[in-house]
Amino acid sequence: MLAVEAAGKLLLIDCGLMFPEAHMLGIDLVIPDISVLRERRRDILAILLTHGHEDHIGALPYLLEDLGSPPVYATRLTLGLLRSKLAEHDLDKTADLREVELRKPIALGPFSAEFYRAAHSIVDGAGLILQTPAGQIVHTGDFKLDPTPVDGQPTDLERLAACGDEGTLLLLADSTNVEHEGHTLSERTVGEAFNALLPNCSGKVVVATFSSNIHRIQQVFDAAAAVGRKVLVNGRSMVANIAIARQLGYLHITDDALLDLHGYRAARPEQILLLTTGSQGEPRSALSRMAAADHKQLQIETGDTVILSSKFIPGNEKAISNLINQLYRRGAQVFYETTSEVHVSGHASRDELQTLHSLVKPRYFVPVHGEYRHLVHHAALAREMGTPEDNIFILGNGEPLTLSADGARREERVETGRVFIDGRGVGDLGAPELRDRSHLAHHGVVNVILALNQASGEIIYGPEIFSRGFVPEEDSEAYLAEAAQKVREMLAEHSLDAVSDWEEIRVEVRRTLRRFFNKTIDRRPLILPFILEL
Amino acid sequence: MLAVEAAGKLLLIDCGLMFPEAHMLGIDLVIPDISVLRERRRDILAILLTHGHEDHIGALPYLLEDLGSPPVYATRLTLGLLRSKLAEHDLDKTADLREVELRKPIALGPFSAEFYRAAHSIVDGAGLILQTPAGQIVHTGDFKLDPTPVDGQPTDLERLAACGDEGTLLLLADSTNVEHEGHTLSERTVGEAFNALLPNCSGKVVVATFSSNIHRIQQVFDAAAAVGRKVLVNGRSMVANIAIARQLGYLHITDDALLDLHGYRAARPEQILLLTTGSQGEPRSALSRMAAADHKQLQIETGDTVILSSKFIPGNEKAISNLINQLYRRGAQVFYETTSEVHVSGHASRDELQTLHSLVKPRYFVPVHGEYRHLVHHAALAREMGTPEDNIFILGNGEPLTLSADGARREERVETGRVFIDGRGVGDLGAPELRDRSHLAHHGVVNVILALNQASGEIIYGPEIFSRGFVPEEDSEAYLAEAAQKVREMLAEHSLDAVSDWEEIRVEVRRTLRRFFNKTIDRRPLILPFILEL
């Protein structure tokens, strides 16, 4: 999410979410912390969305109202995908969604915003050209320079060249693939790979891909039709996105090309192509359950072919690898990124980035979209392409940059960060709860119950100890009885009637058990003593 | 770990450990389940170790005594590394370790075992040639056909060719890199990359690599010496392995080439090379702490160069990527597998595997060492190289194969599996405890304490509810009081004096809270009700 400010007014560009990293235990989603924008909501003129991927639109349902529900501008498919997300939060009726035409500037207070075509791994992607009082800003969104895109709409190089001629103050550009030499392959090559593979498949064919990649989906349908297979669509988001894309005219599929579950059961394997999600080895996805022979309707059988038409997203490699192994165990032949040309990236490689820089010739450059190291490498590429080192800024989250007639100046960091979503809770979980979860995850929990007579300090009940995720149930009774004995001994040493501070007892109970567990089995569970005074 | 049996006697080949996968919460290590071997321990004639990597020797300290402490045969460095592991378990004095000479067969009951040189990413690796009553078995261990290894000792192709001439019954071969076309690069190319990089480095140089890769370490020292840098060695296993390798004559380093911490402080950056572990982004490693500016003695400064001379091990990609980003934030230049030739694999690629098969010409083939999909691809390669399909067997853990004059026959699966090590506990944790840990990890824990009068069923105390990792502490009091009220209401509805089954109350408490948490915040903590009868 990026904010552009001029004359006290704000434009926001994209509003994405992050999927949780491994250490964010139990977290469903991560969205940006918009504290600094909340107090400025009256100044927000519009939200501009470059394309419909989760990391660019996914946080909007959570934040749109907090941002004062400004109008949201985007291309038709982007809005279509957003609308279905907003509907899940009952916001689709109230949101002010405005479809844009490419190359048609929109006046927005001190700004004007123009969308231009950007080819990417989703249909109807765009880049942005903003006119501001300080000068022109070009924001590429996510893009590649695919010269032969499936929909015949390549990135608008002509418009980018004009930006260079007009003079561009600032370029912000996608850095994801800056470590990749040469050109990113055209999406069309994936269709060619499908067309080469499918005629040689004898059993059922399963293609797993990202549900947002409408071009890829079109190519799957085309390749299936060419070999006389009909397509069963599986996966909630796949079904939803195909419906949206068909309705909006971005996907050309006849009803006849589709199979329902009934037709699937009646068809022979060589008449079937199953198009599904689950390419990242998500444990509950249909594909993972099929691979584990744990799906009621859908089975993988010897001779079937599975094509993972997707990237191994960092962090998912192990899950994907397990999925592939299980598919092989079922007797399937599996094609995937490492062994076949069944996936291409949606991001520009080095040669394409050089072309971009040479066309736009910006005065200032800010690399965006990528890991920090990608930003560093993209900054180096910009230097090689002639942007002076002092005019290149790597900005972290919350690090503003001011451009004016006096040049560029970094401003003091503003408050930003990540907000965790767990269930219906937005932002209520923080570091302490995640630390507890990590502790529980690695060592389990031990509860100690002890009831004492409030007046005499005499033990009425306990210490009773019970645990989860700590020691196996069959051994726990004897072992925890031994632990309870240690606590009893400790309590006997303290003259309890003299102790008025129950917190002290709690600390001692914890210390006694910690020492005992550490010495006997070298484990460190979360110990929760509970003392009742009756 | 592999067992070879003939005439009622057993040879064991390797005895490795696995590092825990992400879902094995709190598990330190995973070792093989040897139940079926325990009762046969008197029949075990020897353990043969191909090389000194953890996944080939690491479980021995845990299992050697259980296996009846048979003699362990290996090359000198493999035994040196093993000895230091055994010492940590006080087993080094009693273990019967026997150094082997290459190409010198050892008589072992009905077998004879011969070690031959195998080039790999550790010094002193070997493959095995076993003579058995049924015929000759070749086991490659882990290998590549590096024609220019750093120690001048390539894989013994001559001996393998002789195996082909003599007639080999069964080949078992490394499958790790079967998806990789062509040849694996020589280890020497990494030295060349170091020699090309180092003269251009101005600040401090940090090289992170695997502590077992003695050739790599030698090349780091050589490259450092060539540009006048001295080496500070960091990391427990790096220090230990360098000491062992120097002592046994596998590493040629003069004392003069080394820096201690004192010398490090006195030296200028361009005189320093820091050689360390931590290439996998392990959070507590010195390198990760340096990257986070959280190390007392060692710092990364602007202009420093960090070389990750290592593979991105599957499952660690995200941690490594975070490490690289942090190093860039510190101002370092970072070189790593994706961008530079600073690492090569130790495993043979397809062309090399084809050479192996064409030399050994086995009657039967069993692919080993690799994910299941690698075994499938290696089986396909063996077919292409002329081994009949019926003579190729992909074996899972515990799946025996019998070879005799009558041909090959799969036997019934024997009991095997994984044994988890957590702290001092070996094998006591199983699926139920890991399920609890996973539940705790994702949702936290809620404890409910309730004291009832045994006779009347009257509530004496509680319900008192406390939680960890569930809701943030600042909100928990009010929220959990509300939850307690729900439990109180439920209890009021039940006429407690009529209830004799306390388990029923426990179930009802759990159900009431589960419903409340689910409805209000959509979370599913582990709920542990505890009812005292007083």
Side-chain angles (χ1 to χ4, degrees):
Chain A
M1 184 182 209
L2 185 86
V4 181
E5 178 169 15
K9 296 294 176 189
L10 292 160
L11 291 184
L12 303 184
I13 300 176
D14 291 338
C15 185
L17 60 73
M18 231 178 75
F19 293 99
E21 294 183 30
H23 64 273
M24 302 173 187
L25 291 164
I27 300 302
D28 300 322
L29 299 170
V30 183
I31 60 174
D33 175 358
I34 56 158
S35 325
V36 292
L37 291 173
R38 208 174 273 123
E39 58 203 46
R40 299 280 312 272
R41 63 169 87 176
R42 297 232 169 99
D43 302 325
I44 300 171
L45 300 177
I47 300 173
L48 314 175
L49 303 177
T50 57
H51 62 286
H53 276 151
E54 290 281 11
D55 57 333
H56 292 258
I57 69 169
L60 257 193
Y62 299 93
L63 299 178
L64 187 59
E65 289 189 317
D66 257 11
L67 292 167
S69 302
V72 179
Y73 292 87
T75 59
R76 190 190 301 173
L77 184 77
T78 306
L79 288 185
L81 294 171
L82 175 64
R83 195 172 286 117
S84 96
K85 282 181 202 311
L86 290 173
E88 288 171 24
H89 291 72
D90 287 325
L91 292 169
D92 52 323
K93 300 284 184 295
T94 52
D96 179 2
L97 308 185
R98 305 189 186 182
E99 187 179 324
V100 298
E101 269 182 69
L102 298 177
R103 287 194 173 202
K104 271 262 176 87
I106 306 152
L108 292 162
F111 307 99
S112 130
E114 176 186 342
F115 287 69
Y116 69 91
R117 171 64 67 229
H120 184 45
S121 48
I122 188 168
V123 169
D124 221 9
L128 294 167
I129 300 162
L130 304 182
Q131 308 302 335
T132 79
Q136 179 168 279
I137 299 177
V138 175
H139 186 298
T140 65
D142 292 3
F143 82 107
K144 63 197 266 190
L145 296 185
D146 189 337
T148 57
V150 175
D151 60 1
Q153 298 191 40
T155 296
D156 193 344
L157 290 179
E158 199 184 348
R159 188 65 191 88
L160 287 170
C163 288
D165 294 343
E166 293 154 19
T168 293
L169 179 70
L170 171 67
L171 171 67
L172 303 119
D174 181 2
S175 311
T176 312
N177 262 356
V178 68
E179 285 178 0
H180 191 264
E181 295 292 338
H183 267 76
T184 302
L185 286 175
S186 170
E187 175 66 28
R188 200 174 288 268
T189 61
V190 178
E192 287 160 9
F194 291 154
N195 288 331
L197 270 176
L198 260 56
N200 303 315
C201 297
S202 48
K204 191 160 67 245
V205 173
V206 180
V207 178
T209 192
F210 302 113
S211 63
S212 61
N213 197 331
I214 305 298
H215 285 145
R216 186 76 47 90
I217 292 168
Q218 181 71 59
Q219 296 196 106
V220 169
F221 272 92
D222 293 348
V227 294
R229 290 178 186 259
K230 293 195 179 194
V231 179
L232 175 70
V233 178
N234 181 270
R236 207 173 67 95
S237 63
M238 186 68 83
V239 171
N241 289 356
I242 287 181
I244 294 167
R246 287 182 81 188
Q247 195 195 330
L248 300 179
Y250 290 92
L251 198 50
H252 308 288
I253 299 170
T254 59
D255 287 341
D256 190 46
L258 290 161
L259 270 184
D260 58 13
L261 214 49
H262 189 72
Y264 173 85
R265 282 200 206 94
R268 279 173 289 119
E270 65 272 22
Q271 299 174 317
I272 298 172
L273 188 147
L274 172 62
L275 176 62
T276 186
T277 52
S279 68
Q280 299 303 306
E282 301 92 331
R284 282 178 225 162
S285 70
L287 187 59
S288 284
R289 286 184 291 132
M290 288 165 76
D294 186 30
H295 196 290
K296 274 182 196 153
Q297 283 87 31
L298 308 172
Q299 278 83 35
I300 298 285
E301 276 148 314
T302 303
D304 285 353
T305 300
V306 180
I307 301 173
L308 300 184
S309 177
S310 55
K311 178 183 161 71
F312 284 34
I313 293 180
N316 299 342
E317 291 90 347
K318 196 81 197 176
I320 298 169
S321 173
N322 288 343
L323 170 67
I324 295 171
N325 287 331
Q326 283 209 297
L327 291 167
Y328 269 113
R329 279 181 215 276
R330 297 267 89 74
Q333 173 78 313
V334 192
F335 296 91
Y336 42 99
E337 205 190 17
T338 6
T339 59
S340 315
E341 300 293 341
V342 289
H343 176 70
V344 298
S345 166
H347 299 275
S349 299
R350 291 186 70 84
D351 284 1
E352 295 158 84
L353 294 175
Q354 287 174 344
T355 303
L356 172 77
H357 283 265
S358 68
L359 287 175
V360 179
K361 300 185 284 284
R363 191 155 153 222
Y364 295 99
F365 174 63
V366 171
V368 293
H369 211 272
E371 305 267 339
Y372 188 85
R373 67 176 194 268
H374 299 138
L375 307 184
V376 173
H377 289 146
H378 200 174
L381 182 143
R383 273 200 307 279
E384 288 164 24
M385 294 304 296
T387 308
E389 171 134 29
D390 289 348
N391 289 9
I392 300 172
F393 296 87
I394 296 178
L395 302 177
N397 284 334
E399 292 175 10
L401 179 73
T402 297
L403 297 174
S404 67
D406 304 336
R409 192 179 66 237
R410 282 177 181 275
E411 303 291 342
E412 205 162 307
R413 195 192 178 90
V414 300
E415 191 194 331
T416 53
R418 297 160 168 184
V419 171
F420 296 137
I421 297 181
D422 177 8
R424 256 196 283 288
V426 176
D428 59 350
L429 286 186
E433 290 75 31
L434 291 187
R435 251 196 319 272
D436 278 345
R437 286 185 178 182
S438 170
H439 193 154
L440 289 166
H442 289 93
H443 306 284
V445 64
V446 170
N447 291 297
V448 188
I449 313 286
L450 182 64
L452 299 175
N453 181 300
Q454 205 162 7
S456 67
E458 193 195 346
I459 300 178
I460 302 173
Y461 185 95
E464 176 90 24
I465 303 182
F466 59 109
S467 75
R468 293 301 278 271
F470 172 52
V471 285
E473 215 176 316
E474 60 273 23
D475 309 340
S476 72
E477 200 173 328
Y479 182 65
L480 295 180
E482 208 185 325
Q485 181 54 31
K486 292 282 166 196
V487 175
R488 234 172 268 121
E489 286 164 19
M490 180 278 290
L491 292 171
E493 277 170 39
H494 282 69
S495 51
L496 282 180
D497 50 282
V499 178
S500 58
D501 184 358
W502 299 111
E503 183 53 31
E504 193 185 312
I505 296 281
R506 214 189 310 276
V507 168
E508 281 304 320
V509 167
R510 201 179 272 130
R511 186 178 297 158
T512 302
L513 288 176
R514 195 185 297 135
R515 207 179 291 143
F516 176 71
F517 296 143
N518 190 43
K519 205 175 120 191
T520 50
I521 58 172
D522 192 22
R523 291 185 194 161
R524 278 158 290 276
L526 191 67
I527 301 169
L528 302 177
F530 192 81
I531 300 175
L532 289 79
E533 305 155 55
L534 295 173
Chain B
M1 185 182 209
L2 184 84
V4 181
E5 178 170 14
K9 296 295 176 189
L10 292 161
L11 291 184
L12 303 183
I13 300 176
D14 291 338
C15 185
L17 59 73
M18 231 179 77
F19 293 98
E21 294 182 32
H23 64 273
M24 301 174 189
L25 291 164
I27 300 301
D28 301 320
L29 299 171
V30 184
I31 61 174
D33 175 357
I34 56 157
S35 325
V36 292
L37 290 172
R38 210 173 272 125
E39 57 202 45
R40 299 277 315 268
R41 62 168 86 176
R42 297 234 168 97
D43 303 325
I44 299 171
L45 300 177
I47 301 172
L48 314 175
L49 302 177
T50 58
H51 62 285
H53 277 152
E54 290 281 12
D55 57 335
H56 293 258
I57 69 169
L60 257 193
Y62 298 94
L63 299 178
L64 187 59
E65 290 189 317
D66 256 11
L67 293 168
S69 301
V72 179
Y73 293 86
T75 59
R76 190 190 301 172
L77 184 78
T78 305
L79 288 185
L81 294 170
L82 175 64
R83 196 173 284 118
S84 95
K85 281 181 201 310
L86 291 173
E88 288 172 24
H89 290 72
D90 287 324
L91 292 170
D92 53 322
K93 299 285 183 295
T94 52
D96 179 2
L97 308 185
R98 304 189 185 181
E99 187 179 324
V100 297
E101 270 183 66
L102 298 177
R103 287 197 174 200
K104 270 260 177 90
I106 305 152
L108 293 162
F111 307 98
S112 132
E114 176 187 342
F115 287 69
Y116 69 90
R117 171 63 67 227
H120 184 45
S121 48
I122 187 167
V123 169
D124 221 7
L128 294 167
I129 300 162
L130 304 182
Q131 308 303 334
T132 79
Q136 179 168 278
I137 299 176
V138 174
H139 185 298
T140 66
D142 292 4
F143 82 105
K144 64 196 266 193
L145 296 186
D146 188 338
T148 59
V150 174
D151 60 2
Q153 297 191 39
T155 296
D156 193 344
L157 290 180
E158 199 184 348
R159 188 65 191 88
L160 286 170
C163 288
D165 294 343
E166 293 154 17
T168 293
L169 178 71
L170 171 67
L171 171 68
L172 302 119
D174 180 2
S175 312
T176 313
N177 263 355
V178 68
E179 287 178 358
H180 191 264
E181 295 291 338
H183 267 76
T184 302
L185 286 174
S186 170
E187 174 66 28
R188 200 174 288 268
T189 61
V190 178
E192 288 160 9
F194 290 155
N195 288 330
L197 271 176
L198 261 57
N200 304 316
C201 297
S202 47
K204 191 161 68 245
V205 173
V206 179
V207 179
T209 192
F210 302 113
S211 63
S212 61
N213 197 332
I214 305 298
H215 285 146
R216 186 77 47 90
I217 292 168
Q218 181 72 58
Q219 296 195 107
V220 170
F221 272 92
D222 293 348
V227 293
R229 290 177 187 260
K230 293 192 180 197
V231 179
L232 175 69
V233 178
N234 180 270
R236 207 174 66 97
S237 64
M238 187 68 86
V239 170
N241 288 356
I242 287 180
I244 294 167
R246 287 182 81 189
Q247 194 194 331
L248 299 179
Y250 290 91
L251 199 50
H252 308 288
I253 300 170
T254 59
D255 288 342
D256 191 46
L258 290 161
L259 270 183
D260 58 14
L261 214 50
H262 189 74
Y264 172 86
R265 284 202 204 91
R268 279 173 289 120
E270 64 271 23
Q271 300 173 317
I272 297 172
L273 188 147
L274 172 61
L275 176 62
T276 186
T277 52
S279 67
Q280 299 304 305
E282 301 91 331
R284 283 178 222 160
S285 69
L287 187 59
S288 284
R289 285 184 290 134
M290 288 164 76
D294 185 30
H295 196 288
K296 275 181 196 155
Q297 282 89 30
L298 307 172
Q299 278 83 35
I300 299 285
E301 276 149 312
T302 302
D304 286 352
T305 301
V306 180
I307 302 173
L308 301 184
S309 177
S310 55
K311 178 185 163 68
F312 285 33
I313 293 180
N316 299 341
E317 291 90 346
K318 196 82 197 176
I320 298 169
S321 174
N322 289 344
L323 171 67
I324 295 171
N325 287 331
Q326 281 209 298
L327 290 167
Y328 270 112
R329 279 180 216 277
R330 297 267 90 70
Q333 173 78 313
V334 191
F335 296 91
Y336 43 98
E337 205 191 17
T338 4
T339 58
S340 315
E341 301 291 340
V342 290
H343 175 70
V344 297
S345 167
H347 298 275
S349 299
R350 291 185 71 83
D351 285 0
E352 295 158 84
L353 293 175
Q354 287 174 344
T355 303
L356 172 76
H357 283 265
S358 68
L359 287 175
V360 179
K361 299 185 284 286
R363 190 155 153 220
Y364 294 99
F365 174 61
V366 171
V368 293
H369 210 274
E371 306 265 342
Y372 189 84
R373 67 176 194 267
H374 300 137
L375 307 185
V376 173
H377 288 146
H378 200 173
L381 181 143
R383 270 200 308 279
E384 287 164 23
M385 294 304 294
T387 306
E389 172 135 28
D390 289 347
N391 289 7
I392 300 172
F393 296 88
I394 296 178
L395 302 177
N397 285 334
E399 292 175 9
L401 179 73
T402 297
L403 298 173
S404 67
D406 305 335
R409 193 180 65 235
R410 282 177 181 275
E411 304 290 343
E412 204 163 306
R413 196 190 178 94
V414 300
E415 192 194 330
T416 53
R418 297 160 168 184
V419 171
F420 296 137
I421 297 179
D422 176 8
R424 256 197 283 289
V426 175
D428 59 349
L429 287 187
E433 290 75 33
L434 291 186
R435 251 196 318 272
D436 279 345
R437 286 186 178 180
S438 169
H439 193 155
L440 290 165
H442 289 92
H443 307 283
V445 65
V446 169
N447 292 297
V448 188
I449 314 285
L450 181 65
L452 299 175
N453 182 299
Q454 203 163 6
S456 68
E458 192 195 346
I459 299 177
I460 302 173
Y461 184 95
E464 176 89 26
I465 303 183
F466 60 108
S467 76
R468 292 300 279 271
F470 172 53
V471 285
E473 215 175 316
E474 61 272 24
D475 308 340
S476 73
E477 200 174 331
Y479 182 65
L480 295 181
E482 207 184 324
Q485 181 53 33
K486 292 281 165 195
V487 174
R488 233 173 270 121
E489 286 164 18
M490 180 279 291
L491 291 171
E493 277 171 38
H494 282 70
S495 51
L496 281 181
D497 49 283
V499 177
S500 57
D501 185 0
W502 299 111
E503 183 54 30
E504 193 184 313
I505 296 281
R506 215 189 310 274
V507 168
E508 280 304 319
V509 167
R510 201 179 272 131
R511 185 178 300 158
T512 302
L513 289 176
R514 196 185 297 136
R515 205 178 293 141
F516 175 70
F517 296 144
N518 189 43
K519 204 176 122 190
T520 50
I521 58 172
D522 192 21
R523 290 184 195 163
R524 277 158 291 275
L526 191 67
I527 301 170
L528 302 176
F530 192 81
I531 300 176
L532 290 77
E533 306 156 55
L534 295 171

